[in-house]
Amino acid sequence: MGLPVDSSAKFAEYAHPERLVSTTWLAEHLGDPGLVVVESNEDVLLYSTGHIPGAVHLDWHTDLNDPVSRDYVDGATLATVLGSRGVARESTVVLYGDKNNWWAAYALWVLTLFGHEDVRLLDGGRAAWIAEGREITTEVPTPVPTDYPVVERDDAAIRAFKDEVLDFLGGQLVDVRSAPEYSGERTTMPDYPEEGALRGGHIPGAQSVPWARAANEDGTFRSRAELEAIYQEEKGLYPSQPVIAYCRIGERSSHTWFVLQHLLGFGDVKNYDGSWTEWGNAVRVPIATGNEPGTVPGTASQR
Amino acid sequence: MTSGADLPSAFAAIVDDFQALTEPDRLQLLLEFAESLPELPERYADHPDLLEPVPECQSPVFLTVEVGEQGSADGGASPGPDSPVRVLLTAPRESPTTRGFAAILSDGLAGLTAAEVLAVPDDVSHRLGLDRAVSPLRLRGMAGMLGRIKRQVREQTRAA
């Protein structure tokens, strides 16, 4: 059985309080059997400079991405990766990382593709733990390897692909990139290649909600009321309707996926990990530029 | 592939050091570079406006390039191809990979002339043997720093 749920009043407001733990909760439970703390950062070296005692490291690039195909690792590779970190199928996995848990949320989303049941985020991530003066160490733990089962990844429920997004045009889309990325304005200088996409702009009809709006200054998530004010009142998204989030390669939108799915309780949330590096390079897909969502082409499918 | 024949000697030595190591040790060496990045001189501490941002990096990285002799009474001769170049870089401690790349550039370009800096191959970031361990995006940040350093060198020598 997993560890107890953090009963903080703030979390109780969320649709799925069991998906978050506070720094206080984690400090109390460090070392408990059945708990594996996992640090996942944008920066591959950051863990080595100091981490929560006992935490293992998981890198989005070398551990979770397939080295050849643009895809996530398969079940056999994931079993090796998690087994070597001492994660069992029934472990409570608490993920945390840099940059408002940006990459930790990405790792959590990938683990969810594999149906790992008990995955949680540390509210505030690495920055909150350090800001509170809690202990960090450079000592790398040597976990007892586990026999993590080979589980087939199930992309159907929470992952969207390009053709699916084309058919979904007119539905609720959330673009979580920065405002200049959304508008399609060029931000690079002459002599420097545009970053990874031949066209700028956004998917027609997509609402712009930069991912970090979901976080407070200190990196913790905003309260449920504040999140509802952004996604539901300001942007008019309906929790009962399907929604697809995207960014550049699907990492920032994992963070928004977490917010919509677990904090606000939207019923059908997918992350389009192909995101702008696929859409902005695809031939003949519709694109809108400027600050408005833009017009959705008359027919849903352009193929 | 590992040849450093077209690299300045200090840079070639850094590339050799990386290539001689296993992948985990290469990351450790990159971390040591990160810890060695010198602080910016005081004259820039109060003048962040003198520093150029590097948006190719996902972390706040700033750099500036000084071409020519600093501190001589008349400002030295007009900067030209033989003028010494001084590269100054800053990157946050929370971004050790980026700091490591900044420190490699700082060390590898130290003491070079403008012409020598411009001759550094643009693909140098791919010669450290880190392409697998460090994502393409992270490596692009290093290429972005080098590209901007070269552009500043070109601008300052052209203005002469």
Side-chain angles (χ1 to χ4, degrees):
Chain A
M1 281 296 97
L3 271 73
V5 171
D6 184 338
S7 55
S8 308
K10 176 190 170 187
F11 299 163
E13 302 283 322
Y14 295 130
H16 296 283
E18 73 278 10
R19 295 300 175 186
L20 280 177
V21 302
S22 61
T23 50
T24 305
W25 183 96
L26 185 58
E28 283 168 4
H29 289 281
L30 275 187
D32 282 8
L35 172 68
V36 181
V37 183
V38 178
E39 176 163 330
S40 198
N41 298 315
E42 193 279 321
D43 193 304
V44 68
L45 291 179
L46 190 54
Y47 170 86
S48 305
T49 68
H51 48 263
I52 295 176
V56 294
H57 184 216
L58 195 64
D59 184 66
W60 62 278
H61 176 62
T62 54
D63 291 322
L64 298 178
N65 274 296
D66 186 279
V68 180
S69 171
R70 183 172 173 188
D71 200 358
Y72 301 102
V73 294
D74 62 15
T77 306
L78 188 87
T80 306
V81 165
L82 294 185
S84 70
R85 307 305 201 277
V87 178
R89 187 68 171 163
E90 60 279 5
S91 295
T92 295
V93 175
V94 171
L95 289 139
Y96 74 98
D98 61 353
K99 306 191 172 172
N100 301 347
N101 278 329
W102 169 356
W103 303 91
Y106 189 36
L108 184 146
W109 178 76
V110 173
L111 293 185
T112 305
L113 291 174
F114 287 95
H116 191 98
E117 186 65 36
D118 192 354
V119 282
R120 313 182 190 184
L121 279 185
L122 173 67
D123 194 27
R126 183 185 162 90
W129 183 272
I130 291 173
E132 291 166 6
R134 296 183 187 274
E135 186 185 356
I136 59 167
T137 179
T138 54
E139 193 180 314
V140 177
T142 45
V144 178
T146 53
D147 197 12
Y148 197 89
V150 175
V151 183
E152 195 180 343
R153 206 180 65 224
D154 179 8
D155 293 334
I158 59 166
R159 187 180 184 194
F161 296 91
K162 178 174 132 267
D163 287 352
E164 188 180 348
V165 177
L166 275 169
D167 288 336
F168 188 74
L169 288 179
Q172 303 189 119
L173 284 163
V174 183
D175 185 316
V176 314
R177 298 172 301 158
S178 63
E181 289 173 284
Y182 178 82
S183 69
E185 171 190 319
R186 293 219 160 210
T187 53
T188 51
M189 304 173 61
D191 296 344
Y192 298 97
E194 185 72 45
E195 195 183 69
L198 290 171
R199 288 291 186 268
H202 55 268
I203 300 176
Q207 296 284 345
S208 170
V209 190
W211 69 286
R213 286 189 66 189
N216 294 307
E217 285 281 306
D218 65 359
T220 57
F221 284 107
R222 290 190 185 280
S223 69
R224 177 150 192 184
E226 290 169 324
L227 294 174
E228 285 178 351
I230 296 170
Y231 294 94
Q232 289 161 242
E233 289 157 38
E234 181 186 325
K235 296 300 174 181
L237 299 173
Y238 292 100
S240 58
Q241 300 290 316
V243 58
I244 297 176
Y246 71 93
C247 58
R248 194 181 57 82
I249 56 170
E251 11 67 273
R252 285 172 285 181
S253 44
S254 296
H255 189 271
T256 298
W257 170 85
F258 183 90
V259 169
L260 296 174
Q261 170 110 4
H262 290 318
L263 304 187
L264 291 177
F266 279 50
D268 180 358
V269 190
K270 287 179 179 168
N271 179 23
Y272 168 41
D273 59 279
S275 278
W276 200 255
T277 50
E278 179 177 45
W279 197 273
N281 286 314
V283 175
R284 277 191 158 174
V285 296
I287 289 175
T289 54
N291 297 323
E292 298 302 320
T295 313
V296 176
T299 52
S301 175
Q302 295 295 296
R303 281 167 294 168
Chain B
M1 172 187 121
T2 63
S3 167
D6 54 345
L7 290 175
S9 58
F11 230 129
I14 292 170
V15 168
D16 288 347
D17 286 348
F18 272 94
Q19 290 292 347
L21 298 171
T22 61
E23 198 167 84
D25 287 342
R26 286 175 191 167
L27 286 174
Q28 188 57 41
L29 181 57
L30 187 60
L31 187 59
E32 286 166 21
F33 268 100
E35 286 160 1
S36 77
L37 184 69
E39 296 292 325
L40 285 181
E42 264 183 38
R43 63 183 177 280
Y44 289 105
D46 301 327
H47 288 282
D49 51 301
L50 296 175
L51 301 169
E52 175 176 348
V54 185
E56 290 88 354
C57 296
Q58 292 189 311
S59 325
V61 172
F62 296 88
L63 63 84
T64 193
V65 177
E66 297 172 347
V67 184
E69 301 292 344
Q70 299 296 314
S72 53
D74 60 353
S78 298
D82 299 326
S83 300
V85 171
R86 189 164 182 228
V87 176
L88 302 164
L89 290 144
T90 170
R93 295 201 170 272
E94 296 72 36
S95 304
T97 300
T98 306
R99 261 181 90 83
F101 287 141
I104 289 170
L105 287 172
S106 179
D107 278 20
L109 301 176
L112 298 188
T113 65
E116 287 167 336
V117 169
L118 293 177
V120 172
D122 291 328
D123 70 348
V124 71
S125 56
H126 292 290
R127 300 202 196 177
L128 302 167
L130 290 167
D131 286 31
R132 206 198 71 86
V134 176
S135 77
L137 193 68
R138 292 159 175 163
L139 284 166
R140 197 183 294 149
M142 183 175 178
M145 288 184 241
L146 180 60
R148 282 163 195 281
I149 289 166
K150 287 186 174 187
R151 202 203 67 250
Q152 285 206 20
V153 169
R154 272 195 298 273
E155 286 173 357
Q156 292 185 41
T157 50
R158 196 184 296 142

